[in-house]
Amino acid sequence: MAIFAANFKCNLTRAQTKAYIAELEAYLSRRMGVDSNGADCKADLTRDSKERAEVFVFPNQAALLENAYTFVRVGAQNAHCVENGGFTGEIGAQQLREFGIDSILIGHSERRTIFGESQAYIAQKFAYFAKAGFRIIYCIGEDLAVRQSGGVEAFLRAEFEGINAQYENLIVAYEPIWAIGTGVSAGLEDIERTHKFLRSFLSVPLLYGGSVNEKNAGEIMRLANVDGVLVGSASLEVARFCEIISII
Ligand code: PGA
């Protein structure tokens, strides 16, 4: 199984997101037919097949769309851990349910660093959405100072404080902060070493994120213990994201 997730962050309008997903669906549905070598690749991309590729799109909050596509699963970039209530600027489970949303990103470094989400709050969110049965893509990753000090493993371990790493609907995304949005992905050796470490205590799918693009996705996906990629900038153009998916 390979997992491809597009994180639009604060980009693209609702209309653009609609057009994007329509094109992505069309691409995936073509892939459901016969590939250029004449092979039937149906099993690869069926959403419910065991050997499926799972394709997620996390649109901006204002561009959430009904999670009712055949191949693409629409998820939420963020939500507060509440059904509804007095939480100005937030969305809760009630709003997500209206769109049939059942996947969410939790712990993204931009939420942690720019919006000050603490590990305790993130753990609270995790518990809430796990209880609701959501597919959780839980993001972790160190900054450059931690990497240079050699404390990566202890840092990543600490990002599991209060998190049920055995949660059955969990996907973990390792995204070194110094590689996010910089155009410079982590080196293959770094990714491999870190994913091996994560695999030593996690049995869930492991994604890599941080400047993944159509040129480096193939070599990253081929690394041991890499089950997929979480893509920001390079996912904003549907043709580029399709090219990334085309590696399987
Ligand atoms: P990037 O973002 O691909 O632009 O580095 C990845 C992410 O933040 O999920």
Side-chain angles (χ1 to χ4, degrees):
M1 180 182 71
I3 298 170
F4 299 90
N7 175 11
F8 289 176
K9 307 187 180 184
C10 191
N11 294 292
L12 305 188
T13 64
R14 186 179 188 76
Q16 288 170 327
T17 302
K18 247 185 176 166
Y20 181 111
I21 299 185
E23 211 173 317
L24 182 56
E25 278 275 299
Y27 166 77
L28 293 171
S29 123
R30 282 197 300 278
R31 287 284 307 274
M32 276 285 290
V34 172
D35 72 17
S36 52
N37 299 320
D40 185 0
C41 50
K42 208 175 183 102
D44 284 341
L45 293 170
T46 309
R47 196 164 140 166
D48 297 320
S49 150
K50 270 205 166 143
E51 296 173 306
R52 70 193 184 277
E54 280 198 279
V55 178
F56 292 88
V57 171
F58 294 92
N60 180 262
Q61 211 110 300
L64 266 189
L65 299 172
E66 195 96 15
N67 178 34
Y69 292 91
T70 310
F71 305 110
V72 176
R73 193 186 284 245
V74 180
Q77 290 177 20
N78 182 41
H80 185 41
C81 41
V82 74
E83 174 69 11
N84 55 32
F87 302 98
T88 302
E90 291 291 334
I91 59 173
Q94 182 186 38
Q95 287 78 36
L96 296 183
R97 236 188 348 266
E98 186 183 23
F99 290 90
I101 302 284
D102 56 6
S103 339
I104 187 165
L105 296 179
I106 294 182
H108 192 281
S109 62
E110 286 156 10
R111 300 296 320 167
R112 293 179 192 261
T113 59
I114 304 172
F115 299 101
E117 292 191 5
S118 66
Q119 184 61 30
Y121 175 57
I122 288 167
Q124 212 181 321
K125 256 194 215 192
F126 188 101
Y128 183 90
F129 285 103
K131 190 160 180 234
F134 272 56
R135 198 79 195 274
I136 296 177
I137 299 192
Y138 182 62
C139 305
I140 55 168
E142 81 288 356
D143 64 18
L144 199 53
V146 170
R147 169 136 306 251
Q148 285 167 345
S149 73
V152 176
E153 297 190 354
F155 184 90
L156 296 180
R157 276 270 190 196
E159 291 196 318
F160 283 93
E161 239 162 68
I163 301 298
N164 174 10
Q166 265 78 51
Y167 174 54
E168 57 183 5
N169 252 334
L170 173 62
I171 296 170
V172 168
Y174 168 59
E175 300 200 295
I177 295 173
W178 45 277
I180 293 180
T182 59
V184 183
S185 150
L188 296 179
E189 270 178 32
D190 282 334
I191 301 172
E192 197 157 35
R193 192 176 330 113
T194 308
H195 277 237
K196 189 175 174 202
F197 163 70
L198 294 171
R199 181 57 76 222
S200 70
F201 63 96
L202 294 171
S203 53
V204 299
L206 300 177
L207 313 186
Y208 168 77
S211 294
V212 173
N213 58 45
E214 62 281 25
K215 292 191 177 70
N216 62 18
E219 54 190 15
I220 291 171
M221 287 288 296
R222 280 190 291 276
L223 294 174
N225 299 312
V226 174
D227 303 299
V229 285
L230 176 53
V231 191
S233 330
S235 75
L236 296 179
E237 283 171 45
V238 65
R240 295 182 73 189
F241 191 51
C242 289
E243 215 177 308
I244 290 170
I245 297 169
S246 75
I247 65 177
I248 59 154

